[in-house]
Amino acid sequence: MTTESDADPAPLADRYGTARLPRRNRRRWVWLFGAIAVLTGFGVAWIAYVNLGQTPIEAERVAFEERPGDAMQITINVTRDDPDKPGVCVVRVRDRSGAESGRKEVLVPAGAGHSRLSTVVKSIGRPVTADVYGCSYSIPRYLSTP
C-alpha cells in the first residue's frame, strides 16, 4: 500500500506536459482563426448578394379571373433590365388546397422595359388563385420558334 509521501514528487507538468501553448503561439492561432472567420463571412455575403440580389427580369401579378372550364386568366406586369432581350415567365394556378393545378410558360417578346401580358391557364380542377412562379431570359426552344 502506498501513501501520499511515497508518491512520485515530480510535478504534473513534468509528468503530463503543459496544457497550454505559449502566449505567442496562442495569439497567432487567434489571428488565423479570426482571419478565416472574416473571409468566410465575406464569401457567404458575396454568394448571397449574387444569388439573392435583384433579378434581371421579374413579374408581378396584376389581376386574375376565373374562366369557364377549370381555367383562369392571369394578367402580369413584367419588368426587365434589358428590353432588347426576350424572356419567359412561368405562371401557375392553384386549387383550394394550395397545390399547383396548372402551369404555363409565357413568352415575353423584346420591346419595352415594362410589359403587361395576359394569358389563360388550364387547371386539372377548379382553380382559386393564380400567381407568377418566376421569369428568365433562358427561353425554351419550343417557345421561340413560330
Side-chain angles (χ1 to χ4, degrees), residues 66-142:
E66 191 173 357
R67 296 287 183 201
D70 289 336
M72 186 165 282
Q73 180 176 352
I74 180 172
T75 305
I76 59 174
N77 277 342
V78 181
T79 307
R80 53 192 155 173
D81 61 353
D82 188 359
D84 296 331
K85 290 171 62 177
V88 63
C89 289
V90 178
V91 293
R92 63 184 178 176
V93 294
R94 295 175 182 244
D95 61 12
R96 188 173 183 166
S97 69
E100 183 178 293
S101 59
R103 171 184 287 230
K104 185 175 184 180
E105 294 172 339
V106 180
L107 180 65
V108 181
H114 300 284
S115 304
R116 180 169 281 197
L117 301 169
S118 189
T119 188
V120 175
V121 181
K122 297 279 188 181
S123 176
I124 58 172
R126 183 171 180 242
V128 294
T129 188
D131 59 355
V132 179
Y133 185 75
C135 296
S136 172
Y137 283 122
S138 300
I139 302 172
R141 182 178 226 169
Y142 62 87

Side-chain angles (χ1 to χ4, degrees), residues 41-51:
F42 278 123
V44 168
W46 182 76
I47 290 171
Y49 173 74
V50 169
N51 291 328

